Amino acid sequence: MILFKQPEALKQFLSSQKAQNVSIGFVPTMGALHQGHLSLIAEAKLSCDLVVSSIFVNPTQFNNPKDLETYPRTIQSDIIKLMSSGCDVLFHPEETAMYAQGEEKLSSKDYGYFIDVLEGSSRPGHFDGVITILTKLFNMVDPNQVYFGQKDYQQCMVVETLIQRHFPAIIFNRCAIVREEDGLAMSSRNTRLSVEERKKAPEIYSALQLVQTEWTQDGWELAMEKAKGVLSKAPFELEYLEVCKTDTLEPLTSFQKSVVVLVAVNLGKTRLLDNLIIN
Ligand code: AMP
């Protein structure tokens, strides 16, 4: 695996590869890698000649400075994991290589209904930070295909819109959520859970499954209320649990067969996300 820290060197190397018709698959991450991230690398390896990953804890997508400060950073073990997963290139820039001082974020405000709800309203400015960094990374890497996790469902919608508008040649891939054996969605933030919190955390997925098993014409509203009940009890602090239309994230006014249930919950000091598509 080749490690680049400078955008110019990365660009030069990748454009020479593209000139030889090498196809590039790109997996952007913020590091503290787990099997969820590595599943994206594996997916990219199936259809691209060269797999590029990036590790950059992007400050502009954090609306909470404490969250940015305490975000896990494990670059040494990340490098080992990437090498054993067959990643070809790692881009791990310093912040100064990615942002000029006082630089403004790009705006996602006209992206559609979905931009202002759920994560959009809970974390003001978050998606502006996401599109700002991805625009830079896509320009530097110039990938043929990109790989994102359904774990961040709303982010996938944002990235798809960014690609449709500004990078139409890129193929977008949304990859399945990788879970621990007990159902907890893998996340870099799981490492922050105490032993007790970790034991409770699988209830998040159980609540989503409860909605799924009780998803019927007559029972759907009750199913949502039951799931909210589970995650409204200590030690959980529920931020939202919403059942939405899969393509717009609009709330349901009547029963629909194909929906997505999205949840954000605080467990102690850790904010966890999960979702489940019901068909
Ligand atoms: P992050 O490092 O949290 O920014 O995540 C980088 C990429 O990995 C994003 O596309 C995430 O959606 C994806 N990802 C994170 N957790 C998982 C998971 N458990 N399963 C699949 N993909 C994931």
Side-chain angles (χ1 to χ4, degrees):
M1 185 171 79
I2 313 176
L3 167 66
F4 289 97
K5 294 191 74 75
Q6 297 301 335
E8 280 315 315
L10 174 83
K11 271 204 297 210
Q12 206 175 25
F13 172 75
L14 292 178
S15 64
S16 74
Q17 294 294 308
K18 282 203 97 172
Q20 297 167 59
N21 276 329
V22 169
S23 63
I24 296 175
F26 181 40
V27 179
T29 82
M30 297 204 298
L33 301 181
H34 50 68
Q35 282 304 322
H37 296 111
L38 302 183
S39 73
L40 307 182
I41 304 275
E43 199 70 30
K45 282 184 76 69
L46 292 178
S47 38
C48 300
D49 301 321
L50 192 84
V51 177
V52 179
S53 185
S54 61
I55 294 180
F56 180 64
V57 182
N58 174 34
T60 63
Q61 71 189 67
F62 284 79
N63 53 316
N64 174 350
K66 190 84 195 144
D67 190 26
L68 172 61
E69 195 188 306
T70 58
Y71 197 84
R73 290 165 171 87
T74 57
I75 189 64
Q76 294 304 332
S77 67
D78 288 350
I79 289 175
I80 293 167
K81 286 177 189 168
L82 286 175
M83 286 172 74
S84 48
S85 71
C87 179
D88 300 296
V89 173
L90 168 61
F91 180 46
H92 178 49
E94 300 291 339
E95 193 179 321
T96 48
M98 298 307 284
Y99 287 106
Q101 244 186 356
E103 186 179 329
E104 298 274 320
K105 289 196 257 190
L106 299 177
S107 171
S108 59
K109 77 174 185 307
D110 65 342
Y111 270 37
Y113 176 86
F114 66 86
I115 208 79
D116 292 321
V117 295
L118 308 174
E119 291 304 285
S121 60
S122 288
R123 303 182 68 189
H126 168 65
F127 289 129
D128 290 350
V130 169
I131 63 162
T132 301
I133 192 64
L134 288 180
T135 299
K136 289 171 187 282
L137 288 169
F138 289 173
N139 280 322
M140 288 169 190
V141 175
D142 188 18
N144 299 83
Q145 303 206 39
V146 293
Y147 297 81
F148 286 81
Q150 184 200 312
K151 164 81 181 8
D152 298 284
Y153 188 95
Q154 202 173 356
Q155 173 171 277
C156 283
M157 295 176 73
V158 173
V159 180
E160 276 187 278
T161 309
L162 173 71
I163 287 176
Q164 274 161 17
R165 292 190 180 184
H166 300 291
F167 301 93
I170 298 180
I171 298 171
F172 174 84
N173 296 277
R174 188 178 76 189
C175 305
I177 301 175
V178 178
R179 298 181 180 280
E180 302 286 356
E181 267 177 25
D182 58 14
L184 175 66
M186 289 193 183
S187 164
S188 305
R189 289 186 168 90
N190 292 350
T191 54
R192 288 184 185 167
L193 297 170
S194 69
V195 174
E196 286 309 309
E197 289 163 355
R198 177 63 190 82
K199 278 191 202 144
K200 295 289 283 181
E203 287 183 26
I204 300 168
Y205 184 48
S206 305
L208 297 179
Q209 286 177 307
L210 177 71
V211 181
Q212 185 175 40
T213 45
E214 301 201 4
W215 193 252
T216 59
Q217 180 98 41
D218 297 328
W220 67 278
E221 283 165 301
L222 185 61
M224 272 171 63
E225 289 317 311
K226 280 190 193 170
K228 281 184 186 173
V230 171
L231 297 179
S232 299
K233 286 196 209 102
F236 294 109
E237 200 185 301
L238 183 63
E239 225 172 87
Y240 60 74
L241 185 145
E242 301 287 345
V243 184
C244 303
K245 296 182 187 172
T246 51
D247 52 347
T248 60
L249 295 189
E250 286 167 305
L252 296 197
T253 48
S254 60
F255 177 74
Q256 300 206 358
K257 281 203 178 120
S258 183
V259 294
V260 57
V261 196
L262 300 121
V263 63
V265 68
N266 291 292
L267 184 48
K269 292 198 171 83
T270 311
R271 186 171 185 273
L272 299 173
L273 296 186
D274 203 349
N275 66 78
L276 186 64
I277 296 172
I278 302 177
N279 273 311

